[in-house]
Amino acid sequence: MDYAGVDGRRADGTAAGDEVVEPPAAFSDRAVASDPEIYEAFAEEGPEAWRRAADLLDWERPYETVLDDENPPFYQWFPDGRLNAAANCVDRHLDERRNQLAIRWFGKRGERRSYTYLDLHREVNALAAGLRDLGVEEDDVVTLYLPMVPELPIAMLACARIGAPHNVVFAGLSAEALATRIDAADSEYLVTCDGYYRREDAFNQKSKADNARLRAEADLSATVVVDRLGDALDVPLGDDEHEYEAVVAAHDGETVEPVARDATDLLFVMYTSGTTGRPKGVEHATGGYLAHVAWTTRNVLDVRPDDTYWCAADIGWITGHSYGVYGPLSVGTTSVLYEGSPDYPDRDRVWDLIERNAVSVFYTSPTAIRSFMKWGAEYPDAHDLSSIRLLGTVGESITSKAWRWYREHVGGGEAPIVDTWWQTETGAISLATLPGVTPMKPGKVGPPLPGIDARVVDEDGEPVEPGEPGYLTIAAPWPGMLRGLREGDERYRREYWLEGEDGWRYRTGDGATVDGDGYVTILGRVDDVINVRTHRFNTAELESAIVEADGVTEAAVVGDDDGRIVAYVTTRGDVDPDESLREAIGERLAHAVGDVARPDRIVFTPDLPKTRSGKIMRRLLEDIARGDEFGDVSALRNPEVVGEIESAVRKK
Ligand code: PRX
């Protein structure tokens, strides 16, 4: 069989035109993963190989069983082990590095705060004690609605310490989105803030939280409010609302025994868009997730305690959970946490931060890299970035051009780049090169990691030929995998799993090709999910909000090459589509989902291209948005509309 299996490094010839970049010797010599045999070792040992990952953690009760696969697709990793995630991220570092920095925070207004592991321990304990005092018990879900402030990782760890799963909601999401997530997660506790700064302006986050409380069906028992703004805004607190500072001060110096959790117990829930308009609550278990995250932080991102590491993703999404909080802290490194935007106060802000912190490993998204390219190489070139030894990218495909730019201008032409593929559901990196071992191919993600049985298959589940498009699936369980969905077992099985003759397959929802060396290229989603600005949206979720605008009849949303949202909208005959309608559509989206969902372009069109059965041809709209060639449109019910849409797109 010729698929990208565990034997991803099979070298049966490189397709013509593929550039192969060998890992630099200077890097390989001291890389965490340096032995090419690791691929074979995992292939031979099966699930047992993942002991390597679990053994990076401290276990309260050691596990004996690695994987219980009796009841697929409900797999259980390290089921008889017990551990605490916060103890693994904080307490166990105290002996060796209590005075080492864990977090260096840079605020939007030039503020700085640093936390050693000892500081982190003290504040996590105080908040854990405070949350308990407010009534939070083991297994109670706590919703966290905070921007990129240190209190967010601290609150996550405080929850983990007392065995209360967290439910982080991205701070840019709307009140409505927050309310939906509070209800769906059955959460009675909320940690939020008074507000935060958007460039120069103070923005009231608390009023969004208040609106969410009004909308939510559940009654919140207690709310903790971080003071981010000082006196910049007057944000009054209600009776059952508590100032974060006061809660922590009241319990300063207390220690809370970390609650030993079963490895299969819930560590957190994270809502993400799926194949329906309603977001899904992806559940991650404590042991398998943390093991996989720690292992990949070391072996893929090559992070060690003496690094200064920066994952630029927002903690409100999975990348920030896994590689902004749990990964770096579990391996005991120093992380940069940055609240601001990359172009404020100037377009060299990122490079300035890398230089002043001597960042050695930098992990960001192709969307960000595209912006950096657009702004110009003079910004990174003006800084000393020689501390960088590894670069990472995640979230969407990176073009070979962007890959080269990133390596040249940020990586000094030398640093290896790991293009990491994974998802909210996979919990941790699943496809990527091992930077000291596996040659890189710019623009291709790379082979599956050792132990990840990813395959590109056709409709029948058969492996596709090299270069042929197919569906990316994973044919065996892996430790970081979701343990289920908040919406129940049936939805989990239906949403992700196919039972075939040779076992259960996890469907990623991505299309992909694989080359003769087992390197995977991601083609994008094959379902109704779009990845824009490194956020994931379901098209129906956005479209249903747009059609709520007065006068709109239909809408179709796609992502373009630059990760922007393009909305095609039809209106009632008596409506003149004008600027005010554009504004109203933007408002609807901001209200229903959040400011992040405002379309970058709205194209008014008399009709949407549809198949004879009435299905909107979103692919075609995507091609038009991207300025790509598109194929035969004669199968459409209304082929004449294509020309009109094209000219409408060109006009704007
Ligand atoms: O389509 C793939 C894309 O992002 C999706 C997962 O989105 P989310 O759950 O929000 O997690 C994003 C960060 C882990 C995938 O189904 N994706 C992720 N990484 C890559 C990618 N597409 C291409 N190349 C990648 N490296």
Side-chain angles (χ1 to χ4, degrees):
M1 282 205 288
D2 201 356
Y3 56 78
V6 283
D7 183 15
R9 271 175 38 87
R10 185 183 48 216
D12 53 0
T14 298
D18 272 354
E19 187 197 349
V20 177
V21 181
E22 293 296 329
F27 184 90
S28 300
D29 287 349
R30 56 180 302 260
V32 172
S34 56
D35 183 1
E37 302 285 311
I38 190 166
Y39 287 92
E40 263 150 53
F42 266 80
E44 275 165 23
E45 293 168 32
E48 291 292 315
W50 285 108
R51 283 182 186 275
R52 290 172 181 78
D55 292 346
L56 295 174
L57 305 178
D58 277 3
W59 294 80
E60 189 65 32
R61 182 173 78 202
Y63 63 92
E64 281 172 19
T65 307
V66 171
L67 172 67
D68 174 350
D69 55 2
E70 290 288 291
N71 183 25
F74 303 94
Y75 300 101
Q76 301 198 325
W77 285 89
F78 316 112
D80 46 10
R82 287 173 80 78
L83 76 169
N84 182 281
N88 270 283
C89 289
V90 184
D91 301 43
R92 66 168 172 152
H93 302 309
L94 293 185
D95 279 349
E96 273 185 50
R97 51 185 78 96
R98 68 181 65 200
N99 280 325
Q100 181 193 307
L101 290 182
I103 296 174
R104 292 202 80 180
W105 177 74
F106 293 83
K108 269 195 187 154
R109 298 171 70 80
E111 313 95 314
R112 293 185 198 186
R113 258 194 272 160
S114 290
Y115 292 79
T116 62
Y117 276 94
L118 192 61
D119 294 332
L120 203 54
H121 184 257
R122 194 171 178 107
E123 193 157 327
V124 167
N125 271 280
L127 183 60
L131 289 174
R132 263 210 186 141
D133 217 24
L134 293 173
V136 180
E137 291 179 6
E138 191 175 351
D139 291 322
D140 285 346
V141 177
V142 179
T143 300
L144 309 178
Y145 187 49
L146 287 166
M148 291 284 275
V149 290
E151 289 82 356
L152 177 51
I154 288 168
M156 291 163 75
L157 294 167
C159 289
R161 191 165 194 94
I162 56 176
H166 52 73
N167 169 33
V168 177
V169 178
F170 175 62
L173 292 189
S174 66
E176 196 162 307
L178 174 62
T180 311
R181 286 157 175 78
I182 288 174
D183 281 338
D186 290 321
S187 178
E188 286 181 26
Y189 299 92
L190 175 68
V191 182
T192 184
C193 62
D194 52 355
Y196 55 92
Y197 290 95
R198 287 177 169 170
R199 298 190 181 248
E200 287 299 316
D201 303 323
F203 169 81
N204 191 334
Q205 177 82 344
K206 176 70 174 17
S207 71
K208 282 203 290 176
D210 292 344
N211 282 336
R213 277 186 81 154
L214 293 175
R215 280 161 200 275
E217 281 163 24
D219 277 333
L220 291 179
S221 308
T223 302
V224 176
V225 184
V226 174
D227 175 5
R228 170 67 188 101
L229 296 176
D231 297 331
L233 276 185
D234 184 27
V235 181
L237 297 193
D239 287 345
D240 52 355
E241 297 179 332
H242 309 266
E243 261 184 45
Y244 175 98
E245 280 293 311
V247 170
V248 166
H251 297 276
D252 186 36
E254 288 178 28
T255 38
V256 173
E257 195 55 34
V259 172
R261 300 278 282 167
D262 283 349
T264 53
D265 279 343
L266 185 62
L267 178 61
F268 66 85
V269 51
M270 159 119 270
Y271 281 85
T272 186
S273 296
T275 51
T276 70
R278 285 186 79 77
K280 298 175 293 197
V282 170
E283 294 187 338
H284 279 291
T286 309
Y289 170 82
L290 199 61
H292 193 169
V293 164
W295 191 82
T296 45
T297 303
R298 283 178 56 78
N299 288 273
V300 180
L301 299 173
D302 201 67
V303 173
R304 281 162 273 190
D306 60 3
D307 278 306
T308 300
Y309 159 79
W310 183 10
C311 166
D314 195 289
I315 295 174
W317 306 107
I318 193 70
T319 307
H321 276 50
S322 299
Y323 298 105
V325 179
Y326 286 112
L329 294 176
S330 65
V331 307
T333 196
T334 302
S335 275
V336 170
L337 183 63
Y338 178 49
E339 187 194 32
S341 32
D343 58 349
Y344 187 80
D346 204 349
R347 289 177 163 180
D348 72 339
R349 183 63 174 140
V350 168
W351 322 122
D352 171 55
L353 283 169
I354 290 179
E355 179 173 3
R356 68 169 68 231
N357 291 293
V359 169
S360 42
V361 177
F362 180 56
Y363 191 29
T364 190
S365 66
T367 313
I369 298 167
R370 272 197 305 268
S371 300
F372 300 148
M373 286 170 75
K374 233 177 270 168
W375 298 338
E378 62 270 29
Y379 294 102
D381 290 352
H383 288 271
D384 175 5
L385 306 182
S386 58
S387 54
I388 292 281
R389 54 180 197 83
L390 176 76
L391 295 172
T393 145
V394 59
E396 53 184 304
S397 296
I398 182 165
T399 60
S400 52
K401 189 171 163 208
W403 193 99
R404 284 198 196 86
W405 188 95
Y406 193 30
R407 189 165 203 232
E408 188 60 35
H409 297 287
V410 187
E414 271 294 310
I417 297 179
V418 281
D419 179 355
T420 64
W421 179 94
W422 57 292
Q423 308 178 298
T424 305
E425 293 86 346
T426 70
I429 298 170
S430 307
L431 275 69
T433 52
L434 294 174
V437 172
T438 327
M440 298 162 274
K441 294 190 185 183
K444 293 188 175 181
V445 166
L449 288 184
I452 304 287
D453 191 358
R455 309 174 181 192
V456 182
V457 300
D458 64 17
E459 297 277 352
D460 303 321
E462 294 299 320
V464 295
E465 292 295 317
E468 289 296 318
Y471 302 95
L472 182 64
T473 60
I474 307 180
W478 65 98
M481 64 190 296
L482 70 169
R483 68 160 213 189
L485 283 183
R486 204 74 192 157
E487 290 69 27
D489 292 351
E490 184 40 41
R491 175 97 191 266
Y492 166 67
R493 191 182 301 145
R494 190 161 28 101
E495 189 88 28
Y496 299 110
W497 294 91
L498 279 179
E499 190 179 8
E501 276 162 23
D502 53 351
W504 289 78
R505 293 250 164 107
Y506 169 83
R507 297 182 295 159
T508 66
D510 277 8
T513 61
V514 56
D515 72 10
D517 293 329
Y519 279 59
V520 172
T521 302
I522 304 294
L523 302 174
R525 301 288 303 195
V526 292
D527 53 14
D528 290 337
V529 172
I530 54 173
N531 299 318
V532 274
R533 301 188 202 117
T534 66
H535 303 168
R536 189 164 133 185
F537 299 102
N538 176 275
T539 47
E541 189 181 354
L542 304 184
E543 289 158 6
S544 62
I546 296 176
V547 296
E548 277 176 29
D550 200 27
V552 171
T553 47
E554 268 192 315
V557 171
V558 300
D560 77 1
D561 265 346
D562 282 329
R564 291 177 304 205
I565 301 177
V566 182
Y568 296 88
V569 176
T570 63
T571 53
R572 265 198 335 254
D574 59 336
V575 172
D576 181 23
D578 56 7
E579 276 315 306
S580 68
L581 186 55
R582 273 180 217 283
E583 191 52 34
I585 290 171
E587 283 304 315
R588 286 305 319 167
L589 281 162
H591 177 76
V593 185
D595 276 326
V596 282
R598 280 182 196 270
D600 301 274
R601 286 187 76 183
I602 297 174
V603 180
F604 291 111
T605 154
D607 203 357
L608 293 170
K610 295 200 181 124
T611 61
R612 289 192 202 285
S613 61
K615 197 172 163 3
I616 295 172
M617 291 275 287
R618 203 173 271 105
R619 265 285 167 213
L620 175 67
L621 291 170
E622 203 170 270
D623 288 343
I624 296 174
R626 293 173 181 230
D628 288 350
E629 297 271 316
F630 46 86
D632 185 12
V633 295
S634 59
L636 290 179
R637 193 171 72 184
N638 51 354
E640 69 288 349
V641 78
V642 175
E644 293 190 48
I645 296 175
E646 269 200 291
S647 63
V649 168
R650 260 188 258 116
K651 219 166 38 195
K652 264 294 290 169

